[in-house]
Amino acid sequence: MKKIMSMIIFIACGLSAFGQNDPATEKLLNTLREKYQSYRTAKINFTLTATNQQKQITVDEKGELIVEPRTNRYRITLNDQVMISDGKQQWHVLKEEQEVQITEADGEQSGSITPANIFSFYSEGFKYPAAKSETIGGKSLSVIDLIPTDGKVSYVKVRLRLDKSINQIHDVTVFDKSGSLYTYTIQNFTPNVKVTSKTFIFDKTDYPGMEIVDLR
């Protein structure tokens, strides 16, 4: 799962010429981003599904994200790892390896897609046509295919599906150049949850015995 998350965090490839952005789709994305940025905090329970189509292997993992949209502070909790950021640096707790890696918070490559920026990654670096519509499980969804403008990234496109009834992300699927698929599905979204002073700060006493590796 460490390998899967590394690919998710630093994914990147592309297509460039895709015409102009569709005005109606752009308005839809701007409205979504503004709604998200209006929250003081948010708690998102999500499922990450990684599918290797060549090997026909699918891995599912549940996770939780607590984030402050205006400060980019976040805490991501998965089964075997935790990622904490105070907006300036990130602590990546790898439980299986008994290691904590410290990096700069802005050290991620442009175009990266993570649970922490899932509501804003589309702000720049993509072209998109008119949104399509489909119905899944009784939900009416807007389907937006985002095509990266950076030819150095390793994914072909990102598919964003929005629940029309509540103007909220239903899921995000990254189509990797290798043929693998990575899907974040929002299971529950709770805005303006209460957080403590420790939520976005790494406390080494919570992880006794772990080796701390400073990669800054």
Side-chain angles (χ1 to χ4, degrees):
M1 184 52 67
K2 175 183 176 183
K3 182 178 180 181
I4 291 173
M5 283 305 298
S6 295
M7 292 183 70
I8 290 291
I9 293 174
F10 298 105
I11 286 177
C13 152
L15 294 171
S16 54
F18 198 76
Q20 297 298 315
N21 291 339
D22 177 70
T25 302
E26 184 172 14
K27 182 178 180 180
L28 190 64
L29 292 174
N30 287 339
T31 299
L32 177 68
R33 184 174 62 253
E34 290 169 3
K35 176 183 177 182
Y36 173 66
Q37 290 289 338
S38 71
Y39 299 133
R40 177 177 50 82
T41 61
K43 177 181 176 182
I44 299 99
N45 296 100
F46 64 91
T47 299
L48 168 61
T49 301
T51 304
N52 185 315
Q53 294 183 319
Q54 292 182 342
K55 297 182 179 180
Q56 296 184 337
I57 298 174
T58 299
V59 178
D60 292 298
E61 183 171 7
K62 293 181 179 179
E64 177 186 273
L65 164 67
I66 300 176
V67 62
E68 281 187 345
R70 300 172 190 174
T71 65
N72 292 322
R73 300 200 299 172
Y74 58 83
R75 187 183 194 96
I76 303 170
T77 304
L78 296 163
N79 291 336
D80 59 354
Q81 55 191 303
V82 179
M83 283 162 278
I84 306 166
S85 178
D86 61 1
K88 298 179 180 179
Q89 54 196 343
Q90 176 184 268
W91 295 269
H92 192 175
V93 181
L94 302 168
K95 297 179 181 179
E96 186 174 337
E97 290 82 358
Q98 286 291 292
E99 181 178 284
V100 180
Q101 297 177 352
I102 306 175
T103 58
E104 298 291 343
D106 60 354
E108 297 177 357
Q109 298 177 8
S110 175
S112 63
I113 303 167
T114 73
N117 71 2
I118 197 171
F119 289 90
S120 60
F121 75 89
Y122 48 80
S123 299
E124 57 183 20
F126 293 95
K127 294 291 185 182
Y128 36 84
K132 300 178 181 178
S133 296
E134 63 180 48
T135 300
I136 301 293
K139 293 183 179 181
S140 180
L141 306 179
S142 294
V143 183
I144 303 172
D145 282 338
L146 302 160
I147 310 302
T149 57
D150 184 355
K152 296 180 181 179
V153 297
S154 64
Y155 53 85
V156 177
K157 67 178 177 180
V158 181
R159 177 164 292 164
L160 184 65
R161 298 198 299 180
L162 311 180
D163 187 332
K164 293 182 180 180
S165 65
I166 55 177
N167 188 32
Q168 183 173 298
I169 290 178
H170 177 269
D171 59 24
V172 177
T173 299
V174 179
F175 292 75
D176 189 68
K177 187 179 180 182
S178 67
S180 295
L181 303 178
Y182 302 90
T183 300
Y184 293 107
T185 301
I186 307 302
Q187 302 295 339
N188 190 47
F189 182 94
T190 308
N192 300 321
V193 296
K194 292 183 178 180
V195 297
T196 68
S197 58
K198 289 184 59 178
T199 300
F200 307 114
I201 297 294
F202 173 76
D203 187 345
K204 64 180 180 181
T205 62
D206 293 335
Y207 306 96
M210 287 196 176
E211 179 184 4
I212 297 179
V213 181
D214 196 333
L215 300 176
R216 292 172 293 182

